[in-house]
Amino acid sequence: MSIDTTAPAATTPSATNDPTAPTYDNRTAFADELIRLARTDERIVAVCNDSVGSSNLTAFRDEFPSRLINVGIAEQDMVGVGAGLASSGMIPFVCAAAPFLTGRSLEQVKADVAYSQHNVILCGMSPGMAYGELGPTHHSVEDLSWLRALPGLDIIVPADRLQTRQAVRAAVASPRPTFIRVGRHKVPDVTPEGTELVRGRFQQIRAGRDVTFIVTGTLVSRAIEAAAVLAESGIEARVLNASYIAPLDVEAIVAAARETSAIVTAEEANVAGGLGAAVASVVSQLEAGARVPLRILGLTEFAPTGSTDFLLNYFGLSSAHLVTAAREARAHA
Amino acid sequence: MLATDLEQVEVWRALRAQLEDASAADRDALLAEKARLTRRSIITMISTAGQGHVGGDLSVTDILTTLYAYTLRIDPANPTLAGRDRFILSKGHCAGALYTTLAHSGYFEPAELNTFMAPLSSLNGHPNRNKVPGVETNTGPLGHGLPVAVGQAMAAKLSKNDARIFVVMGDGEMQEGSNWEALMTASQYKLDNLVAIVDRNRLQQGGRTEDTNALDPLDERLASFGCEVRVIDGHSYAELVEAFAPSTTGKPVAIIANTVKGKGVSFIEDRVEWHHKVPSAEQVLLALQELS
Ligand SMILES: Cc1ncc(C[n+]2csc(CCOP(=O)(O)OP(=O)(O)O)c2C)c(N)n1
Ligand SMILES: [Mg+2]
């Protein structure tokens, strides 16, 4: 079995702040990369919960019918089955809508994946508020908080198509217990050409010394837009894409605290225990001079009814909100 | 929280009175008419919202109509009345059918249905008890309703009231282990005031239940978990009314309601892709024609 971690080069336009840039559903890149790797690596199987369509696994099933295991609407069973497959040398991509994969099966993820260290690749499809009007039961905004508390589980939040492919490749190249948020809400390409996905590292998308945005997933393009607005008034914002939430890039956070005067975090997740909380736990333990002002943007309550875009705006996660937060944080410096 | 629509409650009361005095044939005709209006409203709502679960809404409509118009001992003007019968739609994705039924019963104004899934509407894609009167618990993730219903049935026993607790699960939903844990508890505690209804339309989101993770022999399985099992045509009002009668064995009642997903609209019936497809403007007209 050969594992090719390099090909193919997805189109990788450079970071954009063009709001009219085309946007993509990351599930497409996910399924495409999975199928490509499965052709040469028979260890790869997919496990799902009546979600062949919503996990974008129809083409995978058609090409590898015996390697698509649909347990039906039974997520706890699904994660346990994934652990069994992993413990026997397979590379299971366990795919389900993120709220049910994490919420319903949390104990299986804890005991059977993280604690047992079975190399299951948990693929949280349509995370954050991608399910908009279907409401809080279908939003996955607690996943980052819940899963951060599990030692030995990597958490990857790809920000675009390229990073989605890279995350799938990384999982196959070196399987380990991993959760990947596979976005459905369409996002533009944000990763500059040639940027690798390195375990435990953020990517710097834009350099700056005045303020730092540490953002993840759908918020990355919004932070890039915010940085462009701030630049017009002479404020140079550093933009860090937190594509790995665990392991955490402590070094990059410390550098941001030392080199810029304030930090703003933003995530399509609840602020209780998510990316912002992770950043805060690093910054707050620095020496007095390095403890910069911090603004943590995210959800604080169950969402009302609304579309994904409506709700992102409702919870203060637009680029305009990021601009305001950056100015406020700097004012406190 | 939405406000009660007292005028609509009067309409509901009048129908209830009519049904009580009606012959079996007249009763069935009245229920059929009510269900027809509910189905029309569901189609319109989903088309306006541009989202919804039309297949499962239409398969559960006759069950909901019979329960709310005829069986449940409730007072829509007083949705939190102590000792009321309770209903939980465990397959919460069919909120459209529940909202319509509740609105037609006066729990809130039917005009509110136009806001289904609109920004800040109380009518979220899955029911929320803190916003919609008549909703007993929030559902959406499958496999939650039955355990909650077991708790409510237990509470009724403990407080010595004669309330009965009705809950509807999808058949695909029965793949969730929590349902079977709940049935064991219900049987252990002899909850003969519990009525667990399976909307047996034989389809789930991505395929037929029997091709996905087979449920049959569902009747034997339910019986072996300690239920009094009733297998009925879930679109026959006469059979529904009879099946909703109290337990005769001291055991919890499980009803397998054989239904057709998409019932009432020919091109939606029994087609997996209509789990949550939205009808086009043209299809809406066709559907409303079939339901006229
Ligand atoms: C725990 C959980 N897993 C997955 C889903 C996604 N989902 C929504 S509806 C559905 C299919 C339900 O099928 P069934 O219970 O048969 O309902 P019906 O046919 O009446 O629509 C699925 C898988 C969910 N809502 N909850
Ligand atoms: Mg079904």
Side-chain angles (χ1 to χ4, degrees):
Chain A
M1 273 174 271
S2 74
I3 299 162
D4 178 357
T5 57
T6 51
T11 44
T12 55
S14 54
T16 174
N17 63 354
D18 172 9
T20 64
T23 55
Y24 304 93
D25 176 340
N26 287 340
R27 292 177 304 171
T28 309
F30 167 81
D32 194 61
E33 193 65 27
L34 190 65
I35 289 171
R36 202 182 63 78
L37 295 178
R39 283 185 188 138
T40 53
D41 191 334
E42 288 180 357
R43 297 173 302 168
I44 295 175
V45 293
V47 190
C48 71
N49 66 331
D50 189 20
S51 62
V52 177
S54 58
S55 296
N56 209 23
L57 290 171
T58 309
F60 185 97
R61 178 194 59 194
D62 292 347
E63 190 164 339
F64 313 105
S66 65
R67 287 156 70 185
L68 186 278
I69 298 145
N70 182 356
V71 300
I73 310 170
E75 294 75 17
Q76 302 181 52
D77 182 31
M78 172 185 69
V79 174
V81 166
L85 287 162
S87 75
S88 312
M90 314 296 282
I91 306 180
F93 280 74
V94 172
C95 305
F100 312 129
L101 172 65
T102 59
R104 191 52 156 279
S105 321
L106 188 55
E107 188 168 277
Q108 277 75 15
V109 174
K110 173 184 169 181
D112 309 342
V113 180
Y115 185 44
S116 295
Q117 283 292 291
H118 288 312
N119 298 330
V120 178
I121 316 306
L122 301 159
C123 306
M125 315 303 291
S126 310
M129 298 183 288
Y131 279 119
E133 297 89 342
L134 296 189
T137 57
H138 284 55
H139 296 164
S140 189
V141 294
E142 306 84 3
D143 51 354
L144 303 182
S145 317
W146 289 339
L147 300 182
R148 271 189 65 229
L150 302 180
L153 180 73
D154 282 13
I155 303 173
I156 311 180
V157 184
D160 59 10
R161 299 185 293 171
L162 172 64
Q163 288 202 315
T164 304
R165 287 183 185 274
Q166 289 174 328
V168 173
R169 290 204 286 268
V172 174
S174 132
R176 63 174 81 244
T178 303
F179 173 73
I180 307 175
R181 255 190 175 200
V182 182
R184 158 190 171 128
H185 187 60
K186 290 184 172 182
V187 287
D189 293 321
V190 291
T191 306
E193 204 156 346
T195 308
E196 287 302 317
L197 182 72
V198 180
R199 181 166 184 262
R201 289 273 171 242
F202 297 163
Q203 294 83 40
Q204 180 167 302
I205 304 252
R206 180 181 176 121
R209 296 219 149 238
D210 297 325
V211 59
T212 302
F213 288 117
I214 304 181
V215 288
T216 193
T218 45
L219 270 299
V220 177
S221 62
R222 289 160 187 250
I224 294 169
E225 282 169 38
V229 172
L230 289 167
E232 287 165 16
S233 49
I235 300 170
E236 288 304 329
R238 178 178 302 182
V239 178
L240 299 178
N241 171 11
S243 44
Y244 268 85
I245 306 289
L248 188 66
D249 193 345
V250 174
E251 223 172 272
I253 298 169
V254 172
R258 294 202 192 290
E259 294 163 11
T260 71
S261 60
I263 297 176
V264 175
T265 70
E267 59 203 293
E268 194 177 332
N270 195 293
V271 295
L275 170 66
V279 170
S281 75
V282 172
V283 174
S284 62
Q285 295 184 70
L286 295 174
E287 73 280 6
R291 287 199 295 264
V292 289
L294 186 59
R295 285 287 175 282
I296 297 175
L297 308 185
L299 276 69
T300 48
E301 58 188 64
F302 288 124
T305 307
S307 68
T308 310
D309 274 322
F310 174 86
L311 293 174
L312 284 169
N313 192 48
Y314 177 89
F315 283 113
L317 294 170
S318 70
S319 56
H321 287 109
L322 290 175
V323 168
T324 307
R327 291 193 198 284
E328 280 174 10
R330 274 171 50 78
H332 281 83
Chain B
M1 185 69 96
L2 292 175
T4 311
D5 180 347
L6 290 172
E7 253 173 65
Q8 193 64 35
V9 172
E10 287 312 319
V11 175
W12 174 84
R13 287 197 176 123
L15 176 62
R16 173 74 50 121
Q18 239 183 318
L19 285 166
E20 270 160 19
D21 297 336
S23 68
D26 289 351
R27 178 198 65 203
D28 294 355
L30 286 166
L31 290 172
E33 176 57 10
K34 187 84 214 161
R36 183 182 70 82
L37 296 175
T38 300
R39 287 193 163 92
R40 286 179 67 89
S41 164
I42 289 167
I43 297 288
T44 312
M45 254 174 100
I46 289 178
S47 144
T48 307
Q51 289 188 73
H53 290 83
V54 68
D57 281 356
L58 296 177
S59 73
V60 81
T61 298
D62 295 314
I63 297 170
L64 290 175
T65 302
T66 307
L67 281 171
Y68 278 86
Y70 188 78
T71 304
L72 293 175
R73 288 172 315 162
I74 45 174
D75 176 7
N78 192 353
T80 56
L81 188 70
R84 68 190 178 281
D85 283 354
R86 310 235 183 174
F87 174 76
I88 295 176
L89 183 67
S90 189
K91 43 172 246 174
H93 58 285
C94 297
L98 179 63
Y99 293 153
T100 305
T101 306
L102 290 174
H104 288 188
S105 308
Y107 284 94
F108 58 89
E109 225 186 310
E112 191 70 26
L113 297 171
N114 299 326
T115 74
F116 184 41
M117 290 202 253
L120 305 182
S121 168
S122 295
L123 304 182
N124 185 67
H126 293 88
N128 183 338
R129 70 183 284 263
N130 301 301
K131 295 184 176 170
V132 186
V135 172
E136 298 282 359
T137 191
N138 297 11
T139 52
L142 297 166
H144 284 247
L146 186 50
V148 176
V150 166
Q152 293 179 337
M154 237 170 226
K157 294 269 180 202
L158 288 169
S159 42
K160 302 199 174 17
N161 71 45
D162 60 357
R164 298 172 69 214
I165 317 298
F166 295 77
V167 52
V168 170
M169 284 81 62
D171 49 358
E173 181 177 10
M174 291 307 286
Q175 290 159 350
E176 289 285 3
S178 53
N179 290 309
W180 300 94
E181 296 176 22
L183 287 174
M184 288 175 71
T185 308
S187 147
Q188 175 73 23
Y189 284 86
K190 302 191 174 51
L191 300 178
D192 60 355
N193 55 348
L194 177 74
V195 183
I197 305 158
V198 181
D199 181 357
R200 185 73 169 114
N201 58 30
R202 307 194 88 86
L203 290 174
Q204 50 192 101
Q205 182 167 309
R208 308 200 75 81
T209 58
E210 302 314 286
D211 298 338
T212 307
N213 200 341
L215 294 159
D216 280 336
L218 186 57
D219 52 349
E220 288 174 29
R221 287 180 175 180
L222 290 166
S224 74
F225 273 69
C227 298
E228 179 181 328
V229 181
R230 300 170 181 173
V231 182
I232 62 161
D233 171 354
H235 302 303
S236 156
Y237 304 106
E239 291 188 32
L240 285 164
V241 164
E242 198 186 325
F244 293 155
S247 168
T248 57
T249 52
K251 296 176 177 181
V253 173
I255 300 174
I256 299 177
N258 286 311
T259 55
V260 176
K261 201 157 174 169
K263 175 73 177 178
V265 180
S266 58
F267 58 89
I268 300 181
E269 285 187 0
D270 199 34
R271 284 172 203 263
V272 68
E273 67 271 22
W274 279 99
H275 175 69
H276 56 194
K277 217 170 107 170
V278 178
S280 65
E282 196 183 328
Q283 287 170 326
V284 168
L285 290 179
L286 282 173
L288 293 180
Q289 234 164 44
E290 290 191 22
L291 293 167
S292 66

